[in-house]
Amino acid sequence: MIYSRIAGTGGYLPEKVLSNNNLEQMVDTSDQWILERTGISRRHIMEDHETTSTMAEAAARQALDAAGLTTKDIDMIIVGTATPDRTFPSTACILQHRLEAYGCPAFDVGAACAGFIYGLSIADQFIRNGVAKRALVVGAESLSRIVDWTDRSTCVLFGDGAGAVILEASGQPGICSTHIHANGFYNDLLYAANHIGELKEPAYIKMQGNGVFKIAVKTLDDIVDETLAYNNIDKSEIDWLIPHQANLRIITATAKKLDLPMERVILTVQDHGNTSSASIPLALNHGVRTGKIKRGETLLLEAFGAGLTWGSALVKY
Ligand code: UT7
C-alpha cells in the first residue's frame, strides 16, 4: 500500500504589515470592529515587485529544504490560487520555471480558499496510485491586488502570502483521507469578476459576508463529521485543528464541534488575515516551525471558500 506523507513545509509572508489602525485611516472602520467580528489584527501586503509566483517560490524552496530535497526531486507541481500571475500559463508553470524543475506536470487549481486542500487531495491520488513520488503543493495569493481598498466590508479581511508542502510516497500514512466538495449554486455569494466575463464591473472581491458565514459554519460542521466517520475515529483523537483562517468566529465554532480547546487550534488569522488558499499551508508551517505540531500527531485540515468549495484532510504528521 502506498500513502503520501508530508515531508516538509514552507511559508512566505511579505514584509510589509498593514494593521487595523492603518485601515482606520483608509476606510470607515475600527480596530475594535475588525477584531470582534473577525479576530484579525494585521495582515501582510506584497510589494509591487512581488507576484503570486515569487511568493510561491519562496515557500516552495523552504518546504524543499525542510524535506531535505532539491528542485530536481519534484515530479508534480500543483498551485492553488485565485490570483494567478497571468490568465495563462498557469502560475504552476511559472513557478516550475523559477525552480528550474522542468518536465514534470504543473498546473493550477481554482478552488479559491479550498485550493490548497483540493491540491493536496489531487497530489495524494497521484502518489497513492504510483504515478508521482514527490509532489509540491502550494497555496499562494496576491489578494491585495483584487481588493477594493474603498470597500470596508472586504478590504479589512484579506492578506497576501504563500504556503507549501512536499508530499512524498511512503509505506505509512501520511494523508489518511481527503474530502472535497463544491456547490456552484452559491457562486454569486463570493466572487471576483474578470475582464472576459459577462460582468462589466471591476475585478474586485465581492462577498455577501453574512450569507457565506452561515453556510461556512454549517458546512464545516458536516465535513468534520464526514472526515471522522470515514476514518472511523473519535474527535478526541484529533491533536490539532488546522483550519482555513477566514474568521476567528468560524474557527471557534469548528473547534467547539470537535470539543478541542483553542490551544489545540493553529491560529494565524490574527496576524495574516484571510490569505485564501495560502492560509492552511501557512498555518501548518507555523505550527511545525513553532514546534507545536510533532511527528506522529493527528491533524485535521479544513477549508471553505468561493464556489462554494470546501474540503478537509486527516493527516498523520
Ligand atoms: O474565506 C472564504 C470564506 N469567507 C468567509 O468565511 C467569510 C465569512 N464572513 C465573515 O467572516 C463575516 O460575515 C464578516 C466578517 C465578513 C462580516 O461580519 P458579520 O458579523 O457577518 O457582519 P455583517 O456583514 O452582517 O455587517 C454588520 C455591520 C453592518 O452594518 P449595519 O448594516 O448593521 O449597520 C456593516 O455595514 O457591520 C458593518 N460593517 C463594518 N463596520 C465597521 C461591515 N464591515 C465593516 C467594517 N468596519 N470593516
PDB file of all heavy atoms in Angstrom, residues 264-295:
ATOM      1  N   ARG A 264      -5.383  23.889  21.026  1.00  0.00           N
ATOM      2  CA  ARG A 264      -5.084  22.811  20.073  1.00  0.00           C
ATOM      3  C   ARG A 264      -5.479  23.206  18.644  1.00  0.00           C
ATOM      4  O   ARG A 264      -5.586  22.353  17.768  1.00  0.00           O
ATOM      5  CB  ARG A 264      -5.814  21.514  20.456  1.00  0.00           C
ATOM      6  CG  ARG A 264      -5.568  21.051  21.869  1.00  0.00           C
ATOM      7  CD  ARG A 264      -4.121  20.815  22.191  1.00  0.00           C
ATOM      8  NE  ARG A 264      -3.537  19.677  21.508  1.00  0.00           N
ATOM      9  CZ  ARG A 264      -2.261  19.294  21.631  1.00  0.00           C
ATOM     10  NH1 ARG A 264      -1.423  19.987  22.407  1.00  0.00           N
ATOM     11  NH2 ARG A 264      -1.811  18.262  20.979  1.00  0.00           N
ATOM     12  N   VAL A 265      -5.695  24.501  18.444  1.00  0.00           N
ATOM     13  CA  VAL A 265      -6.027  25.014  17.113  1.00  0.00           C
ATOM     14  C   VAL A 265      -4.869  25.899  16.665  1.00  0.00           C
ATOM     15  O   VAL A 265      -4.407  26.744  17.432  1.00  0.00           O
ATOM     16  CB  VAL A 265      -7.330  25.853  17.152  1.00  0.00           C
ATOM     17  CG1 VAL A 265      -7.671  26.374  15.760  1.00  0.00           C
ATOM     18  CG2 VAL A 265      -8.478  25.037  17.731  1.00  0.00           C
ATOM     19  N   ILE A 266      -4.375  25.679  15.456  1.00  0.00           N
ATOM     20  CA  ILE A 266      -3.316  26.559  14.946  1.00  0.00           C
ATOM     21  C   ILE A 266      -3.992  27.815  14.404  1.00  0.00           C
ATOM     22  O   ILE A 266      -4.784  27.761  13.453  1.00  0.00           O
ATOM     23  CB  ILE A 266      -2.484  25.871  13.844  1.00  0.00           C
ATOM     24  CG1 ILE A 266      -1.860  24.563  14.350  1.00  0.00           C
ATOM     25  CG2 ILE A 266      -1.403  26.836  13.337  1.00  0.00           C
ATOM     26  CD1 ILE A 266      -0.836  24.692  15.459  1.00  0.00           C
ATOM     27  N   LEU A 267      -3.679  28.940  15.046  1.00  0.00           N
ATOM     28  CA  LEU A 267      -4.322  30.212  14.702  1.00  0.00           C
ATOM     29  C   LEU A 267      -3.305  31.188  14.118  1.00  0.00           C
ATOM     30  O   LEU A 267      -2.293  31.496  14.760  1.00  0.00           O
ATOM     31  CB  LEU A 267      -4.909  30.845  15.960  1.00  0.00           C
ATOM     32  CG  LEU A 267      -6.263  30.341  16.450  1.00  0.00           C
ATOM     33  CD1 LEU A 267      -6.681  31.123  17.689  1.00  0.00           C
ATOM     34  CD2 LEU A 267      -7.325  30.464  15.361  1.00  0.00           C
ATOM     35  N   THR A 268      -3.596  31.662  12.935  1.00  0.00           N
ATOM     36  CA  THR A 268      -2.739  32.699  12.328  1.00  0.00           C
ATOM     37  C   THR A 268      -3.577  33.865  11.826  1.00  0.00           C
ATOM     38  O   THR A 268      -3.032  34.851  11.360  1.00  0.00           O
ATOM     39  CB  THR A 268      -1.956  32.112  11.129  1.00  0.00           C
ATOM     40  OG1 THR A 268      -2.886  31.500  10.240  1.00  0.00           O
ATOM     41  CG2 THR A 268      -0.925  31.089  11.564  1.00  0.00           C
ATOM     42  N   VAL A 269      -4.908  33.710  11.937  1.00  0.00           N
ATOM     43  CA  VAL A 269      -5.803  34.716  11.354  1.00  0.00           C
ATOM     44  C   VAL A 269      -5.522  36.110  11.917  1.00  0.00           C
ATOM     45  O   VAL A 269      -5.623  37.113  11.203  1.00  0.00           O
ATOM     46  CB  VAL A 269      -7.290  34.301  11.561  1.00  0.00           C
ATOM     47  CG1 VAL A 269      -7.695  34.318  13.018  1.00  0.00           C
ATOM     48  CG2 VAL A 269      -8.223  35.159  10.719  1.00  0.00           C
ATOM     49  N   GLN A 270      -5.106  36.173  13.181  1.00  0.00           N
ATOM     50  CA  GLN A 270      -4.846  37.472  13.803  1.00  0.00           C
ATOM     51  C   GLN A 270      -3.690  38.205  13.112  1.00  0.00           C
ATOM     52  O   GLN A 270      -3.684  39.420  13.015  1.00  0.00           O
ATOM     53  CB  GLN A 270      -4.581  37.313  15.315  1.00  0.00           C
ATOM     54  CG  GLN A 270      -3.302  36.592  15.722  1.00  0.00           C
ATOM     55  CD  GLN A 270      -3.335  35.068  15.530  1.00  0.00           C
ATOM     56  OE1 GLN A 270      -4.341  34.515  15.108  1.00  0.00           O
ATOM     57  NE2 GLN A 270      -2.240  34.399  15.845  1.00  0.00           N
ATOM     58  N   ASP A 271      -2.724  37.459  12.614  1.00  0.00           N
ATOM     59  CA  ASP A 271      -1.526  38.070  12.017  1.00  0.00           C
ATOM     60  C   ASP A 271      -1.520  38.063  10.490  1.00  0.00           C
ATOM     61  O   ASP A 271      -0.798  38.839   9.874  1.00  0.00           O
ATOM     62  CB  ASP A 271      -0.275  37.320  12.487  1.00  0.00           C
ATOM     63  CG  ASP A 271      -0.086  37.434  13.983  1.00  0.00           C
ATOM     64  OD1 ASP A 271      -0.380  38.520  14.532  1.00  0.00           O
ATOM     65  OD2 ASP A 271       0.328  36.442  14.607  1.00  0.00           O
ATOM     66  N   HIS A 272      -2.275  37.154   9.883  1.00  0.00           N
ATOM     67  CA  HIS A 272      -2.239  37.017   8.416  1.00  0.00           C
ATOM     68  C   HIS A 272      -3.493  37.520   7.736  1.00  0.00           C
ATOM     69  O   HIS A 272      -3.472  37.759   6.532  1.00  0.00           O
ATOM     70  CB  HIS A 272      -2.083  35.536   8.012  1.00  0.00           C
ATOM     71  CG  HIS A 272      -0.851  34.880   8.541  1.00  0.00           C
ATOM     72  ND1 HIS A 272      -0.583  33.542   8.337  1.00  0.00           N
ATOM     73  CD2 HIS A 272       0.196  35.355   9.270  1.00  0.00           C
ATOM     74  CE1 HIS A 272       0.568  33.229   8.924  1.00  0.00           C
ATOM     75  NE2 HIS A 272       1.046  34.307   9.497  1.00  0.00           N
ATOM     76  N   GLY A 273      -4.617  37.643   8.472  1.00  0.00           N
ATOM     77  CA  GLY A 273      -5.907  37.843   7.818  1.00  0.00           C
ATOM     78  C   GLY A 273      -6.246  36.609   7.007  1.00  0.00           C
ATOM     79  O   GLY A 273      -5.699  35.522   7.237  1.00  0.00           O
ATOM     80  N   ASN A 274      -7.148  36.785   6.043  1.00  0.00           N
ATOM     81  CA  ASN A 274      -7.556  35.670   5.182  1.00  0.00           C
ATOM     82  C   ASN A 274      -6.662  35.669   3.940  1.00  0.00           C
ATOM     83  O   ASN A 274      -6.750  36.579   3.121  1.00  0.00           O
ATOM     84  CB  ASN A 274      -9.034  35.851   4.805  1.00  0.00           C
ATOM     85  CG  ASN A 274      -9.570  34.736   3.940  1.00  0.00           C
ATOM     86  OD1 ASN A 274      -8.821  33.907   3.430  1.00  0.00           O
ATOM     87  ND2 ASN A 274     -10.877  34.720   3.766  1.00  0.00           N
ATOM     88  N   THR A 275      -5.817  34.660   3.834  1.00  0.00           N
ATOM     89  CA  THR A 275      -4.928  34.561   2.666  1.00  0.00           C
ATOM     90  C   THR A 275      -5.425  33.479   1.701  1.00  0.00           C
ATOM     91  O   THR A 275      -4.646  32.927   0.921  1.00  0.00           O
ATOM     92  CB  THR A 275      -3.472  34.263   3.075  1.00  0.00           C
ATOM     93  OG1 THR A 275      -3.449  33.039   3.829  1.00  0.00           O
ATOM     94  CG2 THR A 275      -2.882  35.379   3.907  1.00  0.00           C
ATOM     95  N   SER A 276      -6.707  33.177   1.751  1.00  0.00           N
ATOM     96  CA  SER A 276      -7.346  32.225   0.835  1.00  0.00           C
ATOM     97  C   SER A 276      -6.570  30.902   0.794  1.00  0.00           C
ATOM     98  O   SER A 276      -6.319  30.310   1.834  1.00  0.00           O
ATOM     99  CB  SER A 276      -7.503  32.865  -0.552  1.00  0.00           C
ATOM    100  OG  SER A 276      -8.302  32.060  -1.385  1.00  0.00           O
ATOM    101  N   SER A 277      -6.166  30.464  -0.388  1.00  0.00           N
ATOM    102  CA  SER A 277      -5.552  29.124  -0.489  1.00  0.00           C
ATOM    103  C   SER A 277      -4.227  29.017   0.264  1.00  0.00           C
ATOM    104  O   SER A 277      -3.759  27.920   0.543  1.00  0.00           O
ATOM    105  CB  SER A 277      -5.338  28.752  -1.953  1.00  0.00           C
ATOM    106  OG  SER A 277      -4.331  29.550  -2.497  1.00  0.00           O
ATOM    107  N   ALA A 278      -3.621  30.147   0.605  1.00  0.00           N
ATOM    108  CA  ALA A 278      -2.338  30.103   1.330  1.00  0.00           C
ATOM    109  C   ALA A 278      -2.530  29.876   2.819  1.00  0.00           C
ATOM    110  O   ALA A 278      -1.581  29.541   3.542  1.00  0.00           O
ATOM    111  CB  ALA A 278      -1.555  31.400   1.103  1.00  0.00           C
ATOM    112  N   SER A 279      -3.763  30.028   3.303  1.00  0.00           N
ATOM    113  CA  SER A 279      -3.925  30.118   4.755  1.00  0.00           C
ATOM    114  C   SER A 279      -3.629  28.799   5.480  1.00  0.00           C
ATOM    115  O   SER A 279      -2.991  28.806   6.529  1.00  0.00           O
ATOM    116  CB  SER A 279      -5.312  30.673   5.103  1.00  0.00           C
ATOM    117  OG  SER A 279      -6.253  29.669   5.337  1.00  0.00           O
ATOM    118  N   ILE A 280      -4.078  27.678   4.922  1.00  0.00           N
ATOM    119  CA  ILE A 280      -3.825  26.403   5.616  1.00  0.00           C
ATOM    120  C   ILE A 280      -2.340  26.007   5.569  1.00  0.00           C
ATOM    121  O   ILE A 280      -1.766  25.678   6.614  1.00  0.00           O
ATOM    122  CB  ILE A 280      -4.741  25.288   5.073  1.00  0.00           C
ATOM    123  CG1 ILE A 280      -6.184  25.591   5.491  1.00  0.00           C
ATOM    124  CG2 ILE A 280      -4.307  23.916   5.592  1.00  0.00           C
ATOM    125  CD1 ILE A 280      -7.208  24.613   4.965  1.00  0.00           C
ATOM    126  N   PRO A 281      -1.686  26.029   4.396  1.00  0.00           N
ATOM    127  CA  PRO A 281      -0.255  25.674   4.433  1.00  0.00           C
ATOM    128  C   PRO A 281       0.579  26.655   5.262  1.00  0.00           C
ATOM    129  O   PRO A 281       1.567  26.252   5.887  1.00  0.00           O
ATOM    130  CB  PRO A 281       0.154  25.677   2.956  1.00  0.00           C
ATOM    131  CG  PRO A 281      -0.892  26.459   2.245  1.00  0.00           C
ATOM    132  CD  PRO A 281      -2.165  26.239   3.013  1.00  0.00           C
ATOM    133  N   LEU A 282       0.169  27.932   5.304  1.00  0.00           N
ATOM    134  CA  LEU A 282       0.886  28.882   6.175  1.00  0.00           C
ATOM    135  C   LEU A 282       0.678  28.520   7.643  1.00  0.00           C
ATOM    136  O   LEU A 282       1.623  28.559   8.441  1.00  0.00           O
ATOM    137  CB  LEU A 282       0.401  30.315   5.922  1.00  0.00           C
ATOM    138  CG  LEU A 282       1.096  31.091   4.813  1.00  0.00           C
ATOM    139  CD1 LEU A 282       0.339  32.393   4.513  1.00  0.00           C
ATOM    140  CD2 LEU A 282       2.551  31.401   5.177  1.00  0.00           C
ATOM    141  N   ALA A 283      -0.550  28.152   7.994  1.00  0.00           N
ATOM    142  CA  ALA A 283      -0.833  27.785   9.394  1.00  0.00           C
ATOM    143  C   ALA A 283      -0.108  26.490   9.766  1.00  0.00           C
ATOM    144  O   ALA A 283       0.469  26.368  10.850  1.00  0.00           O
ATOM    145  CB  ALA A 283      -2.338  27.646   9.603  1.00  0.00           C
ATOM    146  N   LEU A 284      -0.120  25.535   8.847  1.00  0.00           N
ATOM    147  CA  LEU A 284       0.583  24.265   9.078  1.00  0.00           C
ATOM    148  C   LEU A 284       2.075  24.533   9.295  1.00  0.00           C
ATOM    149  O   LEU A 284       2.695  24.028  10.246  1.00  0.00           O
ATOM    150  CB  LEU A 284       0.368  23.345   7.873  1.00  0.00           C
ATOM    151  CG  LEU A 284       1.135  22.029   7.862  1.00  0.00           C
ATOM    152  CD1 LEU A 284       0.686  21.118   9.005  1.00  0.00           C
ATOM    153  CD2 LEU A 284       0.940  21.306   6.523  1.00  0.00           C
ATOM    154  N   ASN A 285       2.637  25.342   8.418  1.00  0.00           N
ATOM    155  CA  ASN A 285       4.062  25.674   8.523  1.00  0.00           C
ATOM    156  C   ASN A 285       4.364  26.372   9.846  1.00  0.00           C
ATOM    157  O   ASN A 285       5.360  26.079  10.507  1.00  0.00           O
ATOM    158  CB  ASN A 285       4.453  26.563   7.333  1.00  0.00           C
ATOM    159  CG  ASN A 285       5.928  26.849   7.295  1.00  0.00           C
ATOM    160  OD1 ASN A 285       6.749  25.935   7.347  1.00  0.00           O
ATOM    161  ND2 ASN A 285       6.294  28.120   7.226  1.00  0.00           N
ATOM    162  N   HIS A 286       3.460  27.262  10.241  1.00  0.00           N
ATOM    163  CA  HIS A 286       3.620  27.970  11.518  1.00  0.00           C
ATOM    164  C   HIS A 286       3.608  26.967  12.681  1.00  0.00           C
ATOM    165  O   HIS A 286       4.460  27.019  13.567  1.00  0.00           O
ATOM    166  CB  HIS A 286       2.489  28.992  11.671  1.00  0.00           C
ATOM    167  CG  HIS A 286       2.499  29.717  12.967  1.00  0.00           C
ATOM    168  ND1 HIS A 286       3.352  30.769  13.220  1.00  0.00           N
ATOM    169  CD2 HIS A 286       1.774  29.530  14.106  1.00  0.00           C
ATOM    170  CE1 HIS A 286       3.152  31.211  14.449  1.00  0.00           C
ATOM    171  NE2 HIS A 286       2.205  30.469  15.012  1.00  0.00           N
ATOM    172  N   GLY A 287       2.658  26.040  12.630  1.00  0.00           N
ATOM    173  CA  GLY A 287       2.552  25.043  13.701  1.00  0.00           C
ATOM    174  C   GLY A 287       3.782  24.158  13.790  1.00  0.00           C
ATOM    175  O   GLY A 287       4.256  23.831  14.874  1.00  0.00           O
ATOM    176  N   VAL A 288       4.326  23.797  12.626  1.00  0.00           N
ATOM    177  CA  VAL A 288       5.508  22.932  12.579  1.00  0.00           C
ATOM    178  C   VAL A 288       6.739  23.700  13.070  1.00  0.00           C
ATOM    179  O   VAL A 288       7.501  23.220  13.912  1.00  0.00           O
ATOM    180  CB  VAL A 288       5.729  22.404  11.143  1.00  0.00           C
ATOM    181  CG1 VAL A 288       7.098  21.774  10.991  1.00  0.00           C
ATOM    182  CG2 VAL A 288       4.631  21.415  10.769  1.00  0.00           C
ATOM    183  N   ARG A 289       6.919  24.911  12.556  1.00  0.00           N
ATOM    184  CA  ARG A 289       8.146  25.665  12.869  1.00  0.00           C
ATOM    185  C   ARG A 289       8.172  26.223  14.280  1.00  0.00           C
ATOM    186  O   ARG A 289       9.238  26.494  14.823  1.00  0.00           O
ATOM    187  CB  ARG A 289       8.363  26.780  11.838  1.00  0.00           C
ATOM    188  CG  ARG A 289       8.909  26.194  10.560  1.00  0.00           C
ATOM    189  CD  ARG A 289       9.038  27.131   9.415  1.00  0.00           C
ATOM    190  NE  ARG A 289       9.215  26.334   8.210  1.00  0.00           N
ATOM    191  CZ  ARG A 289      10.398  25.946   7.737  1.00  0.00           C
ATOM    192  NH1 ARG A 289      11.509  26.308   8.336  1.00  0.00           N
ATOM    193  NH2 ARG A 289      10.471  25.189   6.658  1.00  0.00           N
ATOM    194  N   THR A 290       6.996  26.388  14.886  1.00  0.00           N
ATOM    195  CA  THR A 290       6.989  26.830  16.285  1.00  0.00           C
ATOM    196  C   THR A 290       7.097  25.628  17.230  1.00  0.00           C
ATOM    197  O   THR A 290       7.082  25.800  18.449  1.00  0.00           O
ATOM    198  CB  THR A 290       5.691  27.614  16.612  1.00  0.00           C
ATOM    199  OG1 THR A 290       4.570  26.823  16.216  1.00  0.00           O
ATOM    200  CG2 THR A 290       5.651  28.968  15.912  1.00  0.00           C
ATOM    201  N   GLY A 291       7.175  24.418  16.659  1.00  0.00           N
ATOM    202  CA  GLY A 291       7.375  23.222  17.486  1.00  0.00           C
ATOM    203  C   GLY A 291       6.107  22.703  18.118  1.00  0.00           C
ATOM    204  O   GLY A 291       6.140  21.779  18.936  1.00  0.00           O
ATOM    205  N   LYS A 292       4.955  23.304  17.755  1.00  0.00           N
ATOM    206  CA  LYS A 292       3.692  22.819  18.332  1.00  0.00           C
ATOM    207  C   LYS A 292       3.349  21.449  17.754  1.00  0.00           C
ATOM    208  O   LYS A 292       3.071  20.508  18.474  1.00  0.00           O
ATOM    209  CB  LYS A 292       2.559  23.808  17.999  1.00  0.00           C
ATOM    210  CG  LYS A 292       2.644  25.113  18.758  1.00  0.00           C
ATOM    211  CD  LYS A 292       1.462  26.008  18.406  1.00  0.00           C
ATOM    212  CE  LYS A 292       1.415  27.235  19.281  1.00  0.00           C
ATOM    213  NZ  LYS A 292       0.337  28.150  18.896  1.00  0.00           N
ATOM    214  N   ILE A 293       3.349  21.350  16.435  1.00  0.00           N
ATOM    215  CA  ILE A 293       2.973  20.101  15.769  1.00  0.00           C
ATOM    216  C   ILE A 293       4.185  19.174  15.715  1.00  0.00           C
ATOM    217  O   ILE A 293       5.256  19.575  15.249  1.00  0.00           O
ATOM    218  CB  ILE A 293       2.471  20.399  14.336  1.00  0.00           C
ATOM    219  CG1 ILE A 293       1.219  21.286  14.383  1.00  0.00           C
ATOM    220  CG2 ILE A 293       2.202  19.107  13.587  1.00  0.00           C
ATOM    221  CD1 ILE A 293       0.750  21.776  13.027  1.00  0.00           C
ATOM    222  N   LYS A 294       3.966  17.947  16.226  1.00  0.00           N
ATOM    223  CA  LYS A 294       5.082  16.986  16.269  1.00  0.00           C
ATOM    224  C   LYS A 294       4.781  15.784  15.382  1.00  0.00           C
ATOM    225  O   LYS A 294       3.615  15.453  15.155  1.00  0.00           O
ATOM    226  CB  LYS A 294       5.293  16.521  17.712  1.00  0.00           C
ATOM    227  CG  LYS A 294       5.508  17.691  18.659  1.00  0.00           C
ATOM    228  CD  LYS A 294       6.441  17.382  19.781  1.00  0.00           C
ATOM    229  CE  LYS A 294       6.878  18.641  20.512  1.00  0.00           C
ATOM    230  NZ  LYS A 294       5.801  19.638  20.745  1.00  0.00           N
ATOM    231  N   ARG A 295       5.824  15.135  14.910  1.00  0.00           N
ATOM    232  CA  ARG A 295       5.674  13.929  14.087  1.00  0.00           C
ATOM    233  C   ARG A 295       4.813  12.904  14.809  1.00  0.00           C
ATOM    234  O   ARG A 295       4.949  12.719  16.028  1.00  0.00           O
ATOM    235  CB  ARG A 295       7.048  13.328  13.767  1.00  0.00           C
ATOM    236  CG  ARG A 295       7.815  14.119  12.710  1.00  0.00           C
ATOM    237  CD  ARG A 295       7.243  13.876  11.329  1.00  0.00           C
ATOM    238  NE  ARG A 295       7.875  14.710  10.296  1.00  0.00           N
ATOM    239  CZ  ARG A 295       7.326  14.912   9.090  1.00  0.00           C
ATOM    240  NH1 ARG A 295       6.160  14.391   8.766  1.00  0.00           N
ATOM    241  NH2 ARG A 295       7.946  15.653   8.205  1.00  0.00           N
TER     242      ARG A 295
END
